[in-house]
């Protein structure tokens, strides 16, 4: 397998590989085009997002200064809202359900590096998927770490660091984020 194929398969890969770097540069250039576009250029902005994301539902709305590592591992349902200055390190899939609202300056980091410093120096890394359900509101400055699943109908409080799964129908906050309140189940 090539290093890019390893990345896409969720295996440990060398991020310095030229093909991997080319995929990253492509995503950076698409983000740069998006971030340079005018807010009134809705069709152009959506076209760029659709080229960047692996899959994207209806009615996406994304503010400027989005940063995405590769793009092909980004998936979102309908009515995705991403506010200013958000970062998505999509080494592994980052998946959002329908009606997800992401506040400014949030980070979703699916990338992981080896704990052993000697191995880490070799340039290898790997990812663990992040999954966010439907009807989720992520507050400002939230960090979501590799391997986390956030259920449906969840609110994550501003400034939280999500290192463990969060069940559906709950409010979570803190560092590390913990469930602080249950919400009535939504059956739409």
């Amino acid at each position: 397998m090539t290093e890019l194929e390893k990345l896409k398969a969720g295996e440990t890969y060398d991020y310095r590989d030229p093909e991997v770097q080319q995929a990253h540069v492509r995503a950076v250039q698409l983000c740069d085009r998006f971030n340079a576009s005018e807010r009134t250029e809705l069709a152009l902005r959506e076209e760029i997002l659709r080229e960047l994301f692996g899959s994207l539902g209806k009615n996406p709305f994304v503010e400027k200064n989005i940063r995405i590592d590769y793009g092909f591992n980004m998936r979102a349902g309908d009515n995705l809202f991403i506010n200013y200055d958000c970062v998505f390190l999509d080494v592994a899939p980052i998946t959002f359900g329908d009606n997800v609202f992401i506040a400014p300056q949030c980070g979703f980091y699916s990338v992981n590096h080896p704990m052993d410093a000697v191995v880490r120096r070799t340039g290898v890394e790997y990812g663990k998927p992040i999954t966010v359900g439907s009807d989720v509101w992520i507050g400002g400055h939230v960090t979501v770490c590799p391997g986390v699943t956030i259920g449906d109908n969840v609110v994550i409080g501003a400034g939280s660091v999500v290192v463990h799964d969060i069940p559906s129908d709950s409010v979570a906050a803190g560092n590390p984020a913990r469930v602080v309140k249950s919400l009535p189940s939504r059956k739409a």
Side-chain angles (χ1 to χ4, degrees):
M1 289 177 96
T2 68
E3 297 302 310
L4 186 59
E5 289 169 339
K6 290 177 188 176
L7 184 163
K8 289 181 177 182
E11 297 179 13
T12 300
Y13 69 97
D14 185 343
Y15 68 84
R16 299 171 303 185
D17 175 79
E19 189 179 23
V20 171
Q21 287 297 305
Q22 183 179 8
H24 175 68
V25 167
R26 175 192 167 272
V28 168
Q29 289 172 337
L30 286 167
C31 288
D32 287 347
R33 279 185 51 214
F34 180 86
N35 293 332
S37 68
E38 295 297 325
R39 193 169 191 213
T40 56
E41 298 177 291
L42 295 176
L44 172 64
R45 290 166 67 95
E46 186 168 335
E47 176 185 317
I48 295 167
L49 289 174
R50 291 196 182 284
E51 190 174 342
L52 183 60
F53 277 58
S55 69
L56 184 61
K58 297 180 291 187
N59 306 316
F61 189 89
V62 178
E63 288 289 5
K64 287 187 176 190
N65 298 323
I66 189 172
R67 289 289 168 207
I68 298 174
D69 247 0
Y70 296 101
F72 51 73
N73 274 330
M74 293 287 296
R75 291 168 179 70
D78 296 339
N79 307 313
L80 175 69
F81 177 86
I82 300 173
N83 218 316
Y84 298 100
D85 302 321
C86 290
V87 176
F88 304 87
L89 303 184
D90 66 322
V91 166
I94 299 176
T95 305
F96 299 101
D98 296 331
N99 309 307
V100 173
F101 292 74
I102 301 169
Q105 298 181 335
C106 289
F108 295 80
Y109 309 130
S110 73
V111 65
N112 234 334
H113 300 278
M115 296 304 267
D116 183 290
V118 174
V119 176
R120 197 168 47 245
R121 284 186 224 134
T122 68
V124 298
E125 62 186 16
Y126 61 96
K128 292 185 177 179
I130 294 172
T131 304
V132 177
S134 294
D135 299 306
V136 173
W137 174 23
I138 309 282
H141 293 274
V142 167
T143 298
V144 180
C145 292
V148 167
T149 296
I150 297 172
D152 295 329
N153 190 33
V154 170
V155 175
I156 305 292
S160 296
V161 178
V162 185
V163 298
H164 300 291
D165 292 353
I166 303 297
S168 293
D169 306 316
S170 60
V171 176
N175 181 3
R178 299 193 189 297
V179 174
V180 296
K181 180 180 178 178
S182 293
L183 294 173
S185 180
R186 61 134 188 102
K187 302 290 182 206

